[in-house]
Amino acid sequence: EADIYQTPRYLVIGTGKKITLECSQTMGHDKMYWYQQDPGMELHLIHYSYGVNSTEKGDLSSESTVSRIRTEHFPLTLESARPSHTSQYLCASSDHGTQETQYFGPGTRLLVL
Amino acid sequence: AQSVTQLDSHVSVSEGTPVLLRCNYSSSYSPSLFWYVQHPNKGLQLLLKYTSAATLVKGINGFEAEFKKSETSFHLTKPSAHMSDAAEYFCVVSDGNKLVFGAGTILRVKS
Protein backbone atom coordinates (compact mmCIF):
# COMPACT_ATOMS: atom_id res chain seq x y z
CA GLU A 1 0.00 0.00 0.00
CA ALA A 2 1.39 3.39 -1.01
CA ASP A 3 1.94 5.60 1.99
CA ILE A 4 4.20 8.09 3.75
CA TYR A 5 5.94 7.16 6.97
CA GLN A 6 7.66 9.12 9.70
CA THR A 7 9.79 7.82 12.52
CA PRO A 8 9.99 8.25 15.38
CA ARG A 9 6.45 9.37 16.19
CA TYR A 10 7.58 10.85 19.48
CA LEU A 11 11.05 11.85 20.63
CA VAL A 12 12.20 13.30 23.94
CA ILE A 13 15.86 14.23 23.97
CA GLY A 14 18.34 16.37 25.84
CA THR A 15 19.88 19.63 24.69
CA GLY A 16 22.91 19.30 22.46
CA LYS A 17 22.08 15.89 21.01
CA LYS A 18 22.12 15.22 17.29
CA ILE A 19 18.82 13.89 15.95
CA THR A 20 17.52 12.69 12.61
CA LEU A 21 13.84 12.55 11.81
CA GLU A 22 13.06 9.98 9.15
CA CYS A 23 10.53 10.33 6.34
CA SER A 24 9.87 7.76 3.64
CA GLN A 25 7.20 7.48 0.96
CA THR A 26 6.29 4.57 -1.23
CA MET A 27 4.29 6.53 -3.80
CA GLY A 28 7.19 7.34 -6.10
CA HIS A 29 6.63 11.05 -5.63
CA ASP A 30 9.29 13.48 -6.83
CA LYS A 31 8.51 16.30 -4.43
CA MET A 32 8.91 16.09 -0.67
CA TYR A 33 8.44 18.65 2.08
CA TRP A 34 9.08 19.26 5.77
CA TYR A 35 6.76 21.46 7.80
CA GLN A 36 7.02 22.64 11.38
CA GLN A 37 3.88 23.09 13.45
CA ASP A 38 3.82 24.54 16.94
CA PRO A 39 0.78 23.68 19.10
CA GLY A 40 -2.31 25.55 17.97
CA MET A 41 -0.47 27.20 15.12
CA GLU A 42 -0.42 26.87 11.36
CA LEU A 43 2.13 24.82 9.47
CA HIS A 44 5.25 26.48 8.17
CA LEU A 45 7.36 25.08 5.36
CA ILE A 46 11.00 24.64 6.43
CA HIS A 47 12.48 22.48 3.63
CA TYR A 48 11.46 21.00 0.31
CA SER A 49 12.92 18.93 -2.48
CA TYR A 50 11.98 18.52 -6.13
CA GLY A 51 13.89 15.28 -6.53
CA VAL A 52 17.13 13.46 -5.83
CA ASN A 53 19.98 15.80 -4.90
CA SER A 54 17.58 18.77 -4.78
CA THR A 55 16.95 20.57 -1.48
CA GLU A 56 15.64 24.07 -0.83
CA LYS A 57 14.90 26.11 2.28
CA GLY A 58 11.29 26.96 2.94
CA ASP A 59 9.54 30.05 4.18
CA LEU A 60 10.44 29.60 7.84
CA SER A 61 14.09 29.72 8.78
CA SER A 62 15.26 26.52 10.45
CA GLU A 63 18.55 25.30 11.89
CA SER A 64 17.79 21.85 10.56
CA THR A 65 19.25 20.36 7.39
CA VAL A 66 17.88 17.81 4.93
CA SER A 67 19.20 15.46 2.29
CA ARG A 68 17.64 13.67 -0.67
CA ILE A 69 19.87 10.85 -1.80
CA ARG A 70 17.01 8.54 -2.73
CA THR A 71 13.61 9.45 -4.15
CA GLU A 72 11.71 7.76 -1.35
CA HIS A 73 13.72 9.11 1.57
CA PHE A 74 13.95 12.68 2.93
CA PRO A 75 15.52 12.79 6.41
CA LEU A 76 15.76 15.94 8.52
CA THR A 77 18.70 16.44 10.87
CA LEU A 78 19.34 18.72 13.81
CA GLU A 79 23.05 18.74 14.69
CA SER A 80 22.52 20.08 18.19
CA ALA A 81 18.98 20.06 19.54
CA ARG A 82 17.76 22.96 21.68
CA PRO A 83 14.51 23.52 23.59
CA SER A 84 13.47 26.03 20.91
CA HIS A 85 13.35 23.09 18.47
CA THR A 86 10.47 21.55 20.42
CA SER A 87 7.63 21.24 17.92
CA GLN A 88 5.81 18.87 15.63
CA TYR A 89 7.48 18.09 12.32
CA LEU A 90 5.34 16.96 9.41
CA CYS A 91 6.65 15.40 6.22
CA ALA A 92 4.69 15.46 2.96
CA SER A 93 5.11 14.39 -0.63
CA SER A 94 3.48 15.16 -3.96
CA ASP A 95 3.81 14.05 -7.55
CA HIS A 96 5.53 16.18 -10.19
CA GLY A 97 3.71 19.09 -11.77
CA THR A 98 2.01 22.07 -10.21
CA GLN A 99 -1.10 22.13 -8.06
CA GLU A 100 -0.55 18.56 -6.98
CA THR A 101 -2.06 17.33 -3.75
CA GLN A 102 0.38 16.89 -0.91
CA TYR A 103 0.06 13.76 1.20
CA PHE A 104 1.17 14.01 4.81
CA GLY A 105 2.83 11.61 7.19
CA PRO A 106 1.64 11.24 10.79
CA GLY A 107 4.28 13.63 12.12
CA THR A 108 7.03 13.50 14.71
CA ARG A 109 6.50 15.26 18.01
CA LEU A 110 9.87 16.43 19.30
CA LEU A 111 10.50 17.58 22.86
CA VAL A 112 13.96 18.90 23.68
CA LEU A 113 14.66 19.21 27.38
CA ALA B 1 2.00 36.20 -2.54
CA GLN B 2 -0.70 33.81 -1.49
CA SER B 3 -2.29 33.86 1.95
CA VAL B 4 -5.33 32.45 3.70
CA THR B 5 -7.35 33.72 6.62
CA GLN B 6 -9.50 31.38 8.64
CA LEU B 7 -12.03 33.63 10.26
CA ASP B 8 -12.76 31.49 13.32
CA SER B 9 -10.18 29.85 15.53
CA HIS B 10 -12.86 27.73 17.24
CA VAL B 11 -16.31 26.59 16.12
CA SER B 12 -18.71 24.65 18.33
CA VAL B 13 -21.82 22.91 16.96
CA SER B 14 -24.26 20.32 18.20
CA GLU B 15 -24.31 16.88 16.65
CA GLY B 16 -26.71 16.79 13.70
CA THR B 17 -26.54 20.54 13.01
CA PRO B 18 -24.79 22.18 10.04
CA VAL B 19 -21.10 23.02 10.03
CA LEU B 20 -19.62 26.18 8.50
CA LEU B 21 -15.88 26.84 8.62
CA ARG B 22 -14.94 30.09 6.95
CA CYS B 23 -11.88 30.79 4.84
CA ASN B 24 -10.83 33.79 2.77
CA TYR B 25 -7.82 33.71 0.49
CA SER B 26 -5.55 36.13 -1.26
CA SER B 27 -3.91 35.16 -4.52
CA SER B 28 -2.40 37.00 -7.44
CA TYR B 29 -3.70 34.44 -9.91
CA SER B 30 -6.22 31.64 -10.11
CA PRO B 31 -5.43 29.58 -7.04
CA SER B 32 -5.64 25.97 -6.06
CA LEU B 33 -7.36 25.66 -2.71
CA PHE B 34 -7.54 22.79 -0.27
CA TRP B 35 -9.10 21.84 3.02
CA TYR B 36 -7.16 19.47 5.24
CA VAL B 37 -8.31 17.92 8.53
CA GLN B 38 -6.09 16.93 11.43
CA HIS B 39 -7.43 14.66 14.13
CA PRO B 40 -5.57 14.55 17.46
CA ASN B 41 -2.28 12.69 17.16
CA LYS B 42 -2.92 11.97 13.51
CA GLY B 43 -1.44 13.28 10.27
CA LEU B 44 -3.12 15.74 7.97
CA GLN B 45 -5.76 14.28 5.69
CA LEU B 46 -7.02 15.90 2.51
CA LEU B 47 -10.76 16.65 2.64
CA LEU B 48 -11.17 18.28 -0.75
CA LYS B 49 -9.41 20.27 -3.44
CA TYR B 50 -10.39 23.04 -5.87
CA THR B 51 -8.39 23.48 -9.08
CA SER B 52 -10.49 25.74 -11.34
CA ALA B 53 -13.03 23.11 -12.33
CA ALA B 54 -16.50 23.12 -10.71
CA THR B 55 -16.84 25.84 -8.09
CA LEU B 56 -18.69 23.51 -5.73
CA VAL B 57 -16.28 20.82 -4.59
CA LYS B 58 -17.41 17.68 -2.81
CA GLY B 59 -15.01 15.97 -0.45
CA ILE B 60 -14.88 13.03 1.87
CA ASN B 61 -17.13 12.43 4.89
CA GLY B 62 -19.93 14.62 3.51
CA PHE B 63 -17.94 17.86 3.44
CA GLU B 64 -18.09 20.31 0.56
CA ALA B 65 -16.73 23.75 -0.20
CA GLU B 66 -17.72 26.47 -2.64
CA PHE B 67 -15.18 28.64 -4.42
CA LYS B 68 -16.45 32.22 -4.72
CA LYS B 69 -14.04 34.37 -6.66
CA SER B 70 -16.00 37.59 -6.12
CA GLU B 71 -15.79 37.10 -2.36
CA THR B 72 -12.33 35.43 -2.39
CA SER B 73 -13.82 32.78 -0.15
CA PHE B 74 -13.66 29.01 0.10
CA HIS B 75 -15.89 28.11 3.03
CA LEU B 76 -16.21 24.50 4.18
CA THR B 77 -19.67 23.12 4.98
CA LYS B 78 -21.37 19.95 6.06
CA PRO B 79 -25.15 19.56 6.44
CA SER B 80 -25.05 17.50 9.62
CA ALA B 81 -22.15 17.29 12.07
CA HIS B 82 -21.04 13.98 13.52
CA MET B 83 -19.03 13.47 16.68
CA SER B 84 -16.18 12.08 14.60
CA ASP B 85 -15.88 15.43 12.80
CA ALA B 86 -14.29 16.99 15.88
CA ALA B 87 -10.81 17.96 14.72
CA GLU B 88 -8.75 20.87 13.48
CA TYR B 89 -9.35 22.05 9.92
CA PHE B 90 -6.87 23.92 7.76
CA CYS B 91 -7.65 25.99 4.69
CA VAL B 92 -4.70 25.95 2.31
CA VAL B 93 -3.76 27.81 -0.88
CA SER B 94 -1.10 26.69 -3.32
CA ASP B 95 1.28 29.05 -5.08
CA GLY B 96 2.06 26.39 -7.65
CA ASN B 97 4.85 24.73 -5.76
CA LYS B 98 4.25 25.26 -2.08
CA LEU B 99 1.27 25.17 0.22
CA VAL B 100 0.39 28.12 2.44
CA PHE B 101 -1.66 27.13 5.47
CA GLY B 102 -4.23 29.07 7.41
CA ALA B 103 -4.03 29.18 11.20
CA GLY B 104 -6.61 26.43 11.55
CA THR B 105 -10.12 26.15 12.99
CA ILE B 106 -10.82 23.74 15.81
CA LEU B 107 -14.26 22.18 15.42
CA ARG B 108 -15.99 20.95 18.55
CA VAL B 109 -19.09 18.78 18.24
CA LYS B 110 -21.39 18.59 21.24
CA SER B 111 -23.66 15.61 21.85
Side-chain angles (χ1 to χ4, degrees):
Chain A
E1 179 181 326
D3 211 337
I4 181 164
Y5 306 93
Q6 288 186 245
T7 57
R9 293 292 312 277
Y10 302 91
L11 178 61
V12 181
I13 200 163
T15 297
K17 301 292 186 182
K18 178 180 178 179
I19 59 172
T20 296
L21 308 185
E22 302 288 350
C23 177
S24 295
Q25 50 95 4
T26 58
M27 296 175 280
H29 286 166
D30 291 325
K31 296 182 179 180
M32 295 189 75
Y33 313 82
W34 276 104
Y35 293 86
Q36 185 173 341
Q37 183 185 28
D38 292 327
M41 305 293 285
E42 65 265 41
L43 279 73
H44 291 286
L45 181 68
I46 52 174
H47 297 285
Y48 60 100
S49 167
Y50 289 144
V52 172
N53 294 325
S54 153
T55 61
E56 303 287 343
K57 288 193 179 295
D59 303 319
L60 181 67
S61 175
S62 173
E63 294 169 343
S64 59
T65 59
V66 292
S67 62
R68 190 89 184 275
I69 299 172
R70 302 199 315 265
T71 299
E72 63 272 21
H73 196 212
F74 191 41
L76 180 145
T77 298
L78 278 164
E79 290 294 332
S80 179
R82 295 207 302 270
S84 61
H85 297 140
T86 294
S87 189
Q88 178 172 226
Y89 294 84
L90 290 164
C91 181
S93 70
S94 67
D95 207 346
H96 58 274
T98 59
Q99 319 301 352
E100 291 297 329
T101 300
Q102 292 188 15
Y103 296 90
F104 285 81
T108 294
R109 291 186 183 273
L110 173 65
L111 172 61
V112 183
L113 302 174
Chain B
Q2 278 67 36
S3 67
V4 286
T5 301
Q6 291 184 242
L7 300 169
D8 307 291
S9 59
H10 293 80
V11 170
S12 183
V13 301
S14 297
E15 190 174 22
T17 64
V19 176
L20 170 64
L21 305 183
R22 298 182 294 166
C23 172
N24 287 112
Y25 70 91
S26 171
S27 176
S28 55
Y29 55 87
S30 183
S32 286
L33 293 158
F34 308 77
W35 275 98
Y36 281 85
V37 61
Q38 187 176 35
H39 288 90
N41 300 315
K42 296 287 182 62
L44 284 161
Q45 180 183 19
L46 179 68
L47 274 180
L48 48 81
K49 170 182 176 181
Y50 166 77
T51 54
S52 71
T55 56
L56 183 62
V57 183
K58 293 188 183 299
I60 62 172
N61 301 335
F63 284 94
E64 61 182 38
E66 185 172 9
F67 173 73
K68 291 187 176 180
K69 186 176 181 179
S70 60
E71 299 176 9
T72 60
S73 70
F74 190 56
H75 301 334
L76 181 70
T77 61
K78 182 174 180 177
S80 177
H82 191 271
M83 295 297 289
S84 61
D85 295 328
E88 188 165 18
Y89 293 78
F90 292 92
C91 183
V92 182
V93 65
S94 171
D95 72 351
N97 290 303
K98 294 177 288 185
L99 298 184
V100 177
F101 283 75
T105 298
I106 294 174
L107 175 64
R108 179 177 168 229
V109 182
K110 298 176 289 185
S111 58

